[in-house]
């Protein structure tokens, strides 16, 4: 599986999903019908996208969207961003303020988070092995097959010192859409 096939797989699964939170299940179904090496390649490409998006500019955009964003939430946010598809992902990497163009910020619990994307490849790999395979052994085999590269350093790291106000100034469209963070946009 190459990068083009990776994004095509996500787009096809998105088109079959009733909502974004259904996407991980659709991906597991699709990937479990593929060869093990393709599932491993999907996992590798997913990790590459997570690493590419490990950028303080994008993190600050998430701060504006959420009204604050810690490390775990930023990870789940990047999973959600990958689930948006190639066009949205690539635009956000270049200019995080383009995230303001997304119509619905749905995901886990109605927020732009999609934690279940993290385990898609492993679950597909185990499902492919079949119901009679030992899940622990299968998961161990999967772990040995995937790349164990560590997370890269945060790009644009000096930006982590920016205040919430400075982040809003960097991303005026997001600040306009989420003046108090996404929590402030839900009716109480």
């Amino acid at each position: 599986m190459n990068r083009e096939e990776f994004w095509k797989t996500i787009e096809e699964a998105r088109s079959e999903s009733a909502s974004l939170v259904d996407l991980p299940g659709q991906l597991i179904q699709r990937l479990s019908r593929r060869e093990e090496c393709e599932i491993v390649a999907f996992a590798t490409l997913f990790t590459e996208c997570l690493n590419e998006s490990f950028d303080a500019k994008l993190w600050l955009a998430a701060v504006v969207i959420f009204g604050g964003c810690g490390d775990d939430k930023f990870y789940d946010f990047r999973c959600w961003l990958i689930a948006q598809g190639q066009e949205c992902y690539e635009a956000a990497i270049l200019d995080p303020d383009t995230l303001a163009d997304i119509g619905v910020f749905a995901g886990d619990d109605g927020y732009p988070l999609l934690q279940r994307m993290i385990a898609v490849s492993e679950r597909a790999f185990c499902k492919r092995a079949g119901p009679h395979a030992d899940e622990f052994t299968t998961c161990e085999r999967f772990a040995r097959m995937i790349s164990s590269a560590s997370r890269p350093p945060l790009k644009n790291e000096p930006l982590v010192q920016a205040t919430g106000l400075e982040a809003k100034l960097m991303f005026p469209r997001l600040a306009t859409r989420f003046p108090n963070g996404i929590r402030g946009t839900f009716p109480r």
Side-chain angles (χ1 to χ4, degrees):
M1 175 177 291
N2 60 31
R3 190 116 173 176
E4 183 179 323
E5 292 165 334
F6 169 82
W7 287 116
K8 183 179 179 192
T9 301
I10 290 175
E11 286 303 323
E12 289 171 349
R14 280 177 55 88
S15 70
E16 294 177 5
S17 300
S19 68
L20 194 63
V21 294
D22 297 329
L23 177 63
Q26 284 292 334
L27 283 168
I28 291 166
Q29 291 298 327
R30 287 180 158 279
L31 290 170
S32 67
R33 295 188 297 261
R34 299 213 178 170
E35 296 297 321
E36 287 181 351
C37 63
E38 291 181 274
I39 299 170
V40 170
F42 184 92
T44 301
L45 291 162
F46 184 80
T47 299
E48 285 177 11
C49 288
L50 284 173
N51 290 343
E52 285 172 6
S53 61
F54 192 56
D55 188 325
K57 281 188 348 186
L58 190 60
W59 201 333
L60 282 177
V63 166
V64 174
I65 292 167
F66 290 109
C69 183
D71 189 40
D72 290 343
K73 187 181 282 186
F74 183 54
Y75 190 92
D76 295 348
F77 173 74
R78 290 180 295 146
C79 290
W80 171 87
L81 180 59
I82 294 165
Q84 295 300 309
Q86 181 177 10
E87 185 178 328
C88 179
Y89 170 85
E90 289 177 352
I93 296 298
L94 292 174
D95 178 10
D97 212 25
T98 62
L99 291 167
D101 298 332
I102 295 174
V104 178
F105 275 68
D108 294 338
D109 300 320
Y111 293 102
L113 305 167
L114 203 55
Q115 183 180 28
R116 288 172 281 195
M117 285 291 287
I118 298 165
V120 161
S121 299
E122 181 180 55
R123 291 190 60 210
F125 191 90
C126 292
K127 182 178 175 117
R128 185 186 188 291
H132 302 294
D134 176 76
E135 186 173 350
F136 180 76
T137 304
T138 305
C139 289
E140 276 190 330
R141 192 161 53 84
F142 174 76
R144 285 191 305 271
M145 292 175 75
I146 61 172
S147 171
S148 61
S150 61
R151 182 172 73 183
L154 180 66
K155 295 179 196 105
N156 299 303
E157 187 173 359
L159 291 176
V160 297
Q161 302 302 320
T163 65
L165 178 59
E166 290 168 328
K168 286 181 178 185
L169 292 172
M170 286 180 65
F171 307 111
R173 294 171 53 216
L174 283 171
T176 299
R177 181 156 179 198
F178 303 106
N180 301 311
I182 199 164
R183 290 184 183 112
T185 64
F186 287 121
R188 300 207 181 252

